[in-house]
Amino acid sequence: MAWSIDVIIDYEDSQPATPPMEQPNVVGAAAAQAPIISSYNDKIRPLLDVIDRLRLLMVMKEGIQLPTIVVVGDQSSGKSSVLESLAGVNLPRSQGICTRVPLIIKLQNHARPRPELYLEYNDKMVPVEEPQIATAINIATDEIAGPGKSISDIPLTLVVRKDGVPDLTMVDLPGITRVPVHGQPDNIYEQIRDIIMQYITPKESIILNVLSATIDFSTCESIRMSQQVDKNGERTLAVVTKVDRAPEGLVDKVTADDVNIGLGYVCVRNRIGDESYEEARKEEARLFETNAHLSCIDKSIVGVHVLAQKLVRIQANEIAKCLPEIVKNISAKLEANVSELEKMPKALTSDADATQAMMRIIQAAKESLKKLLWRGEFDEYPEDNTKHGTALFVEMLNRFSDELHNCEESNLSKDFLTEEIKGLEDAKGIELPNFLPFEAFLRILRKKVERISYLPIKFTEKYWDYIDDVVMSVLTRHWEMYYHVKVFAKGAAHNLVQKLREQSINRVKEIVEMEKLTGYTCNPDYMMEWNKLMKEHDHFINQISGTNMGPLPCRVNLQGFGEIQVEHLRQHSNVSILQQAFALKMRMVAYWKIFKVRLVDSMALHLQYHVHNLVHNDIDEIMKELMGPDGHGIKMMLVESPAIVAKREKLKNSIKVLKESKDSVAKVMDRIVVYDAYLV
C-alpha cells in the first residue's frame, strides 16, 4: 500500500506522545513495503510543473530567482546515494568527484508501469534506459565539462518519471574537496565553492546539506558554506548518512543541533552493495528499530521516506510562498524590457527618416548641453554631480581664486622689501629727489605676473578638459543607438572643443600679457588700500633706522602683514631707499589685490562667453559635418550597429520568455488557494 502525506499526518497526529523506544513500528514497516511517497497529484504537481517550466525557459537568466532544493555535501558524504534512494535510479559512482556539473534532477510520480527517463543538455533531449542512466550521465558530463576531472557550471538535467518517486526537483552540486587530484586544476576548491555559492545564496534556495554520521558536523565544509548565506539555518535541512557506521551518540548530535539546522535533521541508511531499493528500505527500517543507539532516535526524523515527505512539503510551501513574488518580479522585468524596447529607435529605411532622426538627436543633445553648462538644470543627471556643469564651474573658479590668493606671489612678508630695493637700484637714473620711478613698479609687476601666469592657463586647460568630457558623455547618450554616427559625432565634437580650447588659452595668454604691459586701475579701492597701508610708514622706518631709543628689534609687527623679519634691511644705510621701497611695496600690495580679483573676474567672463557660444552656436558645426556635401552622415544613420541589433533581439527574446513565464504562472496561481486550504 502507498502512504500519502495526508494519511501519514493523520496517523502521526492520532498517536499519543510516547517515548521513542516505545513507539510502534508500523510506520517503518509500511515504509519498507511501499513506494517512497505518493504524489500530491493536482495539488503539488502543478506548482512544481510551473517552476520546472520557468527553469526550462531559463527565466533565472532574467534575474528571476526560483525556489530550488540545492543538494550540497563534502566529497564522499553519501550525497549521490541519498539522491539514488529518492530517485530509485543508479547515478554515477567513482573515487573522487562523481558530480562534475550541476545535475538538475526532476522526479515526477508516474503511474505507468514503464519508467520514462531522459537527459536534457546542450539544447537536446536524450531518452535513456534505466540500466544505462549512469553511463549516459557520464557521457553528457564529458560533453559539457570535457573528459577528465574538470568541472563546469553548465547544468545537466535528468528527468525521472517513475511510479512511487516523490514529486521533487533538486540540483545536485559537485562534492566539496580541498585537495586536487591528478587531472584537476589547482583551484578546484575555489571552482566548486563558487558554483555552490551561486546556487545557495538566493534566499529562495532550500539547502539540503548531506552530512556523514562519522564526522563532527561543526567541522564540515558544507555546513560552513551554508552558514555564510543562511546563518540561522532557516532554509537548511540536514541529511545524516552512514548511520550504521557511527550509531553511538548520533541521537545527541541531531538533537543538540550545534550547527543551527533550522529545518531539522533526517537520518538515513543508504543502499549498500547490490541491494535492491526495496531491500535497502527494509534494512533501513530494521536498523532503526533494532539498533540499540539508533532506535532511540525519534521515528519522525528517520528514513528515506521521511526525507521525501519533508522535501515535498518544504518545496511545496516554498513554491506557494514565492510564487506571488515571482509573478511580481516577472511582471516588473517584462514591463521594464517592453519599455526599453519601445525607447529603442526603429531601424531607419529612408534618407528622409534618417535626416529627421539626426536633426532631432542633435537638437536634443544641444538642449542637454544648454541645461548642464549654461542654465544649471540637472534633471537629466540628477544623481551624477560630475555633469552639473554650472555648479562645478563655480567650484573650479573658487579653487582657482584660492590658489591665486595663496600662491607664493601673494606672500606679503617674505623677503620684505628685498625685491623693491633691487628694483629701485636697477631703475636709478637722473631724476628728481624722492621721485618714485614707475619703471621699478613695472619690472616688479611683470615678474610677479609672469610667475603666476601658469595658474590661469592651467585652470583654462582643466576647464576645457571638463567641457570635453561633458560633451562626449552627452553625445554618447544621445547617439547610443547609432554607433557609426556616434563615433563620427564624438570625433567632430572633440575637434570642435579642442579648437575652442586653443582659442581660449590664447585669449588667456593675451589677458596675462595685457596685465604685464602696464599697471592701471580706476578702482577707488586701490587708493584707499594704499593710504591705509602707508599709515605704517613712519613707525616702520623708525624701527629700522633706530631713531627710537632702545635696542633694535629683529622683527616688526606691521598691520596687514603680521610679524616680518627686518634684520636684512639694516645693511642699507640710505634711509631714503628704504622709504621709497616701502612706498613701492605698498603700491604693489594694493595693486596686486586689485589684480587678483580682476584676473578671476576676467577668467569667469571669458570662459562663460565661450561656453555660451559653444552650446548655442558652435555645436551646430557638428550637424554640418554630419550632413556633409555627400550625405555620409545620413548613410551612417541607415546602418545599425551590430550591438544595437543584438540588444533589440535580446530584448525581444527576453520579452518572449517573460510573457511565456507569466502565462505559465497565471495558469496555476488559482490553485495556490486550493493548496493552502489543503495544508490547513
Side-chain angles (χ1 to χ4, degrees):
M1 99 181 227
W3 288 70
S4 66
I5 285 185
D6 50 344
V7 173
I8 293 174
I9 292 172
D10 290 343
Y11 170 80
E12 291 176 346
D13 290 345
S14 66
Q15 299 307 303
T18 56
M21 288 296 291
E22 300 175 7
Q23 289 186 5
N25 63 3
V26 61
V27 176
Q33 299 171 4
I36 291 178
I37 188 171
S38 67
S39 175
Y40 274 92
N41 298 324
D42 60 337
K43 298 180 178 65
I44 287 181
R45 188 70 256 164
L47 298 177
L48 193 54
D49 282 344
V50 74
I51 297 300
D52 287 343
R53 173 62 178 163
L54 296 179
R55 187 174 283 109
L56 183 63
L57 289 169
M58 293 186 290
V59 75
M60 295 177 79
K61 288 186 176 181
E62 305 296 332
I64 310 297
Q65 298 298 333
L66 302 177
T68 304
I69 297 175
V70 183
V71 186
V72 297
D74 291 3
Q75 187 174 297
S76 302
S77 62
K79 185 164 55 70
S80 296
S81 298
V82 170
L83 295 173
E84 282 184 342
S85 298
L86 291 170
V89 296
N90 296 337
L91 298 176
R93 290 171 174 269
S94 67
Q95 291 295 321
I97 298 178
C98 302
T99 306
R100 297 195 292 124
V101 299
L103 178 62
I104 301 174
I105 303 177
K106 297 180 181 179
L107 304 181
Q108 300 175 2
N109 189 51
H110 190 58
R112 297 178 184 176
R114 182 178 175 81
E116 294 180 13
L117 297 94
Y118 56 88
L119 296 174
E120 296 173 339
Y121 62 99
N122 292 349
D123 297 324
K124 60 185 177 182
M125 184 180 75
V126 181
V128 181
E129 294 297 325
E130 189 169 352
Q132 282 77 46
I133 190 65
T135 301
I137 290 176
N138 285 332
I139 293 172
T141 298
D142 287 345
E143 186 173 329
I144 295 171
K149 298 180 180 179
S150 297
I151 65 172
S152 170
D153 61 355
I154 299 174
L156 164 66
T157 299
L158 167 64
V159 179
V160 177
R161 293 177 177 170
K162 189 175 182 181
D163 186 27
V165 300
D167 284 302
L168 287 173
T169 297
M170 301 169 288
V171 180
D172 181 26
L173 299 179
I176 303 167
T177 180
R178 281 193 171 274
V179 181
V181 298
H182 181 69
Q184 290 179 342
D186 292 338
N187 66 338
I188 186 67
Y189 169 77
E190 288 76 15
Q191 290 186 29
I192 295 174
R193 178 199 61 200
D194 291 346
I195 293 176
I196 290 175
M197 296 305 289
Q198 174 187 339
Y199 276 88
I200 67 175
T201 297
K203 59 182 176 56
E204 295 82 3
S205 295
I206 303 156
I207 305 171
L208 182 59
N209 214 319
V210 181
L211 311 171
S212 171
T214 60
I215 66 169
D216 181 356
F217 295 165
S218 63
T219 64
C220 184
E221 186 69 15
S222 63
I223 287 291
R224 190 185 67 82
M225 287 187 184
S226 62
Q227 285 181 338
Q228 290 181 24
V229 297
D230 184 30
K231 186 174 182 180
N232 297 323
E234 295 173 354
R235 50 188 180 90
T236 301
L237 174 67
V239 183
V240 184
T241 63
K242 304 180 182 180
V243 296
D244 50 330
R245 299 187 187 179
E248 188 174 353
L250 183 59
V251 64
D252 294 329
K253 292 171 72 173
V254 298
T255 53
D257 188 23
D258 294 330
V259 291
N260 291 335
I261 303 297
L263 296 179
Y265 295 80
V266 177
C267 302
V268 300
R269 173 196 179 274
N270 290 326
R271 189 166 61 98
I272 299 175
D274 295 329
E275 287 179 344
S276 67
Y277 290 102
E278 183 178 351
E279 291 170 346
R281 291 179 62 196
K282 289 180 180 178
E283 284 299 313
E284 180 183 61
R286 186 192 63 77
L287 178 66
F288 283 110
E289 289 294 336
T290 60
N291 185 279
H293 300 288
L294 299 180
S295 60
C296 298
I297 301 176
D298 194 313
K299 296 300 182 290
S300 65
I301 62 169
V302 300
V304 173
H305 67 291
V306 170
L307 173 62
Q309 294 163 14
K310 284 200 171 194
L311 288 175
V312 169
R313 185 172 292 280
I314 291 170
Q315 176 183 250
N317 282 336
E318 189 65 20
I319 293 174
K321 182 180 73 175
C322 291
L323 265 182
E325 185 68 19
I326 292 173
V327 172
K328 178 182 175 182
N329 292 339
I330 290 175
S331 298
K333 182 69 174 178
L334 178 60
E335 183 179 346
N337 284 2
V338 169
S339 175
E340 187 174 359
L341 182 62
E342 290 175 348
K343 289 179 182 177
M344 291 189 69
K346 296 179 181 178
L348 303 175
T349 57
S350 68
D351 288 356
D353 289 343
T355 302
Q356 187 177 12
M358 179 180 290
M359 294 181 66
R360 184 177 65 251
I361 293 172
I362 283 285
Q363 290 304 315
K366 188 175 178 180
E367 180 64 18
S368 294
L369 290 173
K370 287 180 183 179
K371 287 182 175 182
L372 297 174
L373 299 177
W374 188 250
R375 298 204 299 265
E377 299 171 7
F378 311 129
D379 53 292
E380 295 181 12
Y381 298 88
E383 303 299 328
D384 188 357
N385 294 337
T386 63
K387 302 297 185 297
H388 297 179
T390 54
L392 279 176
F393 177 61
V394 173
E395 290 182 15
M396 294 171 70
L397 194 65
N398 288 337
R399 284 197 295 269
F400 166 65
S401 178
D402 291 342
E403 196 172 359
L404 187 61
H405 282 77
N406 295 324
C407 70
E408 189 68 21
E409 293 307 311
S410 296
N411 186 342
L412 303 178
S413 59
K414 183 180 179 183
D415 297 330
F416 194 70
L417 299 188
T418 300
E419 190 171 23
E420 286 74 18
I421 292 172
K422 186 177 186 308
L424 288 168
E425 291 176 343
D426 291 343
K428 277 182 180 179
I430 299 175
E431 58 191 17
L432 294 173
N434 296 325
F435 182 79
L436 189 61
F438 187 60
E439 183 62 28
F441 178 85
L442 281 181
R443 286 180 182 179
I444 295 173
L445 175 63
R446 287 167 184 161
K447 289 179 181 178
K448 289 175 72 67
V449 173
E450 180 63 31
R451 288 195 287 260
I452 62 89
S453 61
Y454 74 96
L455 289 176
I457 294 173
K458 184 179 74 170
F459 170 56
T460 304
E461 291 173 340
K462 186 176 181 181
Y463 183 61
W464 280 107
D465 287 344
Y466 170 72
I467 295 296
D468 189 56
D469 288 342
V470 173
V471 171
M472 293 301 106
S473 177
V474 168
L475 290 182
T476 296
R477 181 168 68 89
H478 284 281
W479 288 105
E480 187 62 40
M481 302 304 176
Y482 301 97
Y483 174 77
H484 300 289
V485 185
K486 178 182 72 175
V487 173
F488 186 88
K490 288 176 67 176
H494 179 70
N495 292 337
L496 172 63
V497 172
Q498 292 307 305
K499 182 179 74 173
L500 297 176
R501 181 181 191 268
E502 185 177 353
Q503 293 175 358
S504 180
I505 291 173
N506 289 335
R507 176 56 183 158
V508 170
K509 290 179 179 179
E510 285 183 356
I511 293 173
V512 172
E513 288 302 313
M514 285 190 297
E515 294 290 352
K516 289 162 63 176
L517 185 63
T518 187
Y520 172 76
T521 180
C522 62
N523 192 328
D525 289 347
Y526 167 72
M527 288 303 299
M528 292 173 57
E529 183 69 15
W530 182 75
N531 287 327
K532 184 176 71 172
L533 293 171
M534 287 300 293
K535 290 179 181 179
E536 296 285 313
H537 174 270
D538 293 343
H539 168 69
F540 178 77
I541 296 299
N542 289 337
Q543 293 291 319
I544 300 299
S545 62
T547 305
N548 295 330
M549 300 297 292
L552 297 177
C554 295
R555 295 172 179 269
V556 173
N557 195 321
L558 202 59
Q559 186 176 353
F561 295 82
E563 280 198 347
I564 56 175
Q565 292 278 357
V566 296
E567 189 70 27
H568 63 286
L569 298 177
R570 293 201 173 92
Q571 62 182 300
H572 301 282
S573 58
N574 187 348
V575 175
S576 177
I577 193 73
L578 291 176
Q579 291 173 332
Q580 285 186 311
F582 186 87
L584 180 58
K585 176 74 172 182
M586 298 307 114
R587 282 177 169 81
M588 183 57 67
V589 169
Y591 186 75
W592 192 250
K593 187 175 182 180
I594 299 294
F595 162 77
K596 289 186 292 185
V597 173
R598 184 167 65 201
L599 182 60
V600 173
D601 289 347
S602 298
M603 295 293 295
L605 293 173
H606 161 70
L607 292 173
Q608 283 286 274
Y609 175 76
H610 274 275
V611 166
H612 175 273
N613 286 344
L614 169 65
V615 300
H616 287 86
N617 304 313
D618 297 336
I619 201 74
D620 292 336
E621 291 185 20
I622 300 175
M623 181 69 172
K624 295 175 183 177
E625 286 197 46
L626 285 173
M627 299 297 288
D630 57 352
H632 60 278
I634 301 299
K635 293 182 177 64
M636 287 189 291
M637 288 285 288
L638 295 172
V639 180
E640 281 196 306
S641 72
I644 296 302
V645 174
K647 183 178 180 180
R648 184 181 288 112
E649 288 305 309
K650 182 180 179 181
L651 283 172
K652 287 181 178 178
N653 292 335
S654 175
I655 289 170
K656 180 182 177 183
V657 167
L658 291 168
K659 283 183 176 179
E660 290 185 32
S661 301
K662 188 175 181 179
D663 292 342
S664 298
V665 175
K667 291 176 182 178
V668 299
M669 280 300 292
D670 57 337
R671 302 195 188 194
I672 296 178
V673 177
V674 176
Y675 171 71
D676 288 341
Y678 172 78
L679 289 180
V680 174

